[in-house]
Amino acid sequence: MSALESADADVTPSRTPDPSGPSGTPGILGKTHRALSVGTIAVVVLIAFEATAVGTAMPVAARELDGVSLYAFAFSAYFTTSLFGMVVAGQWADRRGPLGALAVGIAAFGAGLLLSGTAVNMWTFIGGRAVQGLGGGLVIVALYVVVGRAYPEHMRPAIMAAFAASWVVPSVVGPLAAGSVTEHLGWRWVFVGIPVLVVFPLALALPAIRRMASGPADPGAPVEPFDRRRIRLALMISLGAGLLQYAGQDLRPLSLLPAVAGAALLVPAVAGRRALLPRGTYRAVRGLPSVVLLRGIAAGSFIAAESFVPLMLVTQRGMSPTLAGLSLAAGGGTWALGSYVQARPWAEPYRERLMVVGMLMVASAIAAAPSVLVSWVPVWVVAVAWGVGCFGMGMVIAATSVLLLKLSAPGEAGTNSAALQISDGLSNVLLLAGGGAAFAALGGGSVGAAHEVGGVGGAVGGGHPGAFVAVFLPMAVVAGVGAWVGVRLREVRPSPPLP
């Protein structure tokens, strides 16, 4: 991509004055950026609350809908459709500004939650997650473009750190609230109640974005039509990932047919000459390709492992959904702390090294989590391990976002942000598919059999601990590979010619 040739170029210049001047108080909450910052942070809070609350309610929903064998699919369906939404959002934002993509994305996000909350079977539930994922893909890329356009470069690490900090309260309140609602009212209320939170972000963020980051990147240039080739590739990615996920959940010999079809659709879209990811991504070429690859490795390995933590604690250690969700609550705070650390001015020269350390922390946390399958290991080990892993993820995720914007040429923020999120979402789908297949193959679909249908706690599901080990340990290895990719983030610049 041409962004590789413009490593020192800023992303699309800010349309607002630097808030350090007399027009406002310095920082992202200064007069110039206050409404925009609060509004966009509110959007992230909504996404965070959904992720933590839904994760807490998911084991109960899967059992009640007789869909534990499809448990991984309920997560990966979100990421599968979000891949298409990301590509559409990237083009939409670059050509017409991020406002429309953000508004439509939030609306779809809420509609998907309502569909899942009223589902009568597991496949309808998964369909709702797919609609929700489409909205999530639109929202996340639009937010990146807003950051690139509305904030000067020196403020971007701070707003990214604020996004990470937005997970702290939802990480604590989300599992507690969702667990209580699940136990006393039913899991459906967790899904149908969250869309109420859509109103505040829409009312606050959209007017601020209209003022500060709307319209095309270059208002004087003619608006280009959508790139139909990229749209086709996005459809290929989504369909291919969906087929691979389906094949991973259906272990019959006939599942090889959708697996082959999925690979045939997926490979050209992500690794061909005109793919949606930067050329050299899967070879870990230095610079932007390695940034995009590391994002996928980090997000995919961590999310695939985290998705099974509540199920493991509920079915193998007899914890209630509330306590199982709260075991991950500390991670919100340490994630924000890791993001804060990488945003400090002193960390700028060491950002790449901090990302390597972060990936080693993630690998260690994932490897430690299944130790609670041994009965004498206290369950708080998971909480401690996940706190460590989230600290590492906070450094890595925020830093990849900062590096991507730094390496993006003007007018390419949307496209490159979409590539980053595609790597994130695709890795989630593929690793969840692999982990889900291993889980199902080792009898994981019956781990909740000892529970009364619709029940919420108490009895230990018993048996099949190997199904969980088969998920966590491979993800730890993948995270370890990410530490190696981290040493390739800095571009090698040619030495100046000798005088």
Side-chain angles (χ1 to χ4, degrees):
M1 283 191 174
S2 59
L4 290 174
E5 302 168 1
S6 307
D8 293 328
D10 290 341
V11 88
T12 305
S14 171
R15 300 184 180 192
T16 59
D18 190 329
S20 61
S23 60
T25 305
I28 61 173
L29 294 179
K31 180 179 178 181
T32 303
H33 291 85
R34 185 180 301 132
L36 178 64
S37 297
V38 173
T40 54
I41 289 170
V43 172
V44 178
V45 169
L46 168 65
I47 295 172
F49 189 81
E50 178 276 336
T52 55
V54 167
T56 300
M58 193 75 79
V60 177
R63 288 203 306 270
E64 184 172 312
L65 296 174
D66 194 25
V68 172
S69 62
L70 298 174
Y71 185 78
F73 217 164
F75 286 95
S76 62
Y78 178 99
F79 299 114
T80 299
T81 53
S82 69
L83 295 171
F84 180 71
M86 290 167 189
V87 176
V88 172
Q91 296 200 38
W92 194 343
D94 281 343
R95 287 160 173 77
R96 296 178 174 85
L99 182 64
L102 187 62
V104 173
I106 292 177
F109 192 82
L113 283 167
L114 291 174
L115 181 59
S116 290
T118 56
V120 295
N121 56 61
M122 193 62 176
W123 283 111
T124 304
F125 180 88
I126 291 170
R129 294 285 291 166
V131 174
Q132 188 186 345
L134 179 63
L138 291 170
V139 168
I140 192 64
V141 172
L143 283 178
Y144 272 65
V145 177
V146 169
V147 171
R149 291 192 181 188
Y151 294 87
E153 184 175 357
H154 73 274
M155 293 176 64
R156 292 173 197 154
I159 188 64
M160 291 298 181
F163 286 170
S166 301
W167 284 74
V168 176
V169 173
S171 295
V172 177
V173 176
L176 181 61
S180 298
V181 170
T182 299
E183 293 179 27
H184 296 98
L185 299 177
W187 63 267
R188 296 181 186 276
W189 287 100
V190 175
F191 288 83
V192 301
I194 292 176
V196 176
L197 302 176
V198 169
V199 177
F200 176 71
L202 280 176
L204 193 59
L206 298 186
I209 293 172
R210 186 186 300 276
R211 291 194 307 270
M212 304 176 70
S214 61
D218 184 358
V223 177
E224 297 182 6
F226 277 57
D227 187 337
R228 295 183 179 180
R229 179 188 63 85
R230 294 184 67 85
I231 297 296
R232 287 197 302 270
L233 291 176
L235 283 172
M236 290 169 61
I237 283 182
S238 296
L239 291 174
L243 288 170
L244 285 174
Q245 177 64 35
Y246 178 80
Q249 295 296 301
D250 185 358
L251 301 180
R252 295 174 300 175
L254 285 177
S255 65
L256 289 175
L257 295 178
V260 171
L265 290 169
L266 196 60
V267 172
V270 298
R273 293 187 60 184
R274 303 181 68 188
L276 295 174
L277 300 182
R279 184 174 299 178
T281 295
Y282 292 107
R283 292 183 287 111
V285 171
R286 290 185 178 272
L288 183 62
S290 285
V291 172
V292 172
L293 178 61
L294 179 59
R295 177 58 167 263
I297 288 175
S301 59
F302 192 78
I303 295 300
E306 186 178 61
S307 299
F308 284 86
V309 170
L311 186 67
M312 177 175 66
L313 295 178
V314 168
T315 61
Q316 302 299 299
R317 296 300 297 262
M319 296 179 68
S320 70
T322 303
L323 292 178
L326 283 175
S327 69
L328 306 179
T334 58
W335 189 305
L337 182 60
S339 182
Y340 174 83
V341 168
Q342 70 81 36
R344 296 301 85 203
W346 62 262
E348 175 65 30
Y350 309 105
R351 180 164 283 126
E352 291 83 359
R353 296 180 186 178
L354 289 174
M355 295 169 76
V356 173
V357 173
M359 288 308 304
L360 292 174
M361 296 173 74
V362 171
S364 300
I366 296 174
S371 64
V372 299
L373 293 168
V374 180
S375 61
W376 53 264
V377 176
V379 293
W380 54 257
V381 168
V382 170
V384 173
W386 231 246
V388 172
C390 284
F391 183 90
M393 285 293 289
M395 290 196 295
V396 172
I397 296 300
T400 54
S401 303
V402 172
L403 288 177
L404 176 114
L405 293 175
K406 183 178 181 180
L407 295 172
S408 295
E412 293 187 344
T415 299
N416 289 343
S417 295
L420 189 75
Q421 299 303 325
I422 287 169
S423 178
D424 187 322
L426 181 61
S427 180
N428 286 333
V429 171
L430 295 180
L431 292 179
L432 274 167
F439 183 73
L442 293 177
S446 61
V447 295
H451 293 269
E452 180 182 353
V453 175
V456 292
V460 178
H464 307 292
F468 290 98
V469 174
V471 173
F472 286 98
L473 294 189
M475 299 309 155
V477 173
V478 173
V481 173
W484 172 78
V485 176
V487 305
R488 302 183 59 79
L489 299 177
R490 190 184 298 272
E491 289 186 316
V492 177
R493 299 182 183 275
S495 302
L498 296 175

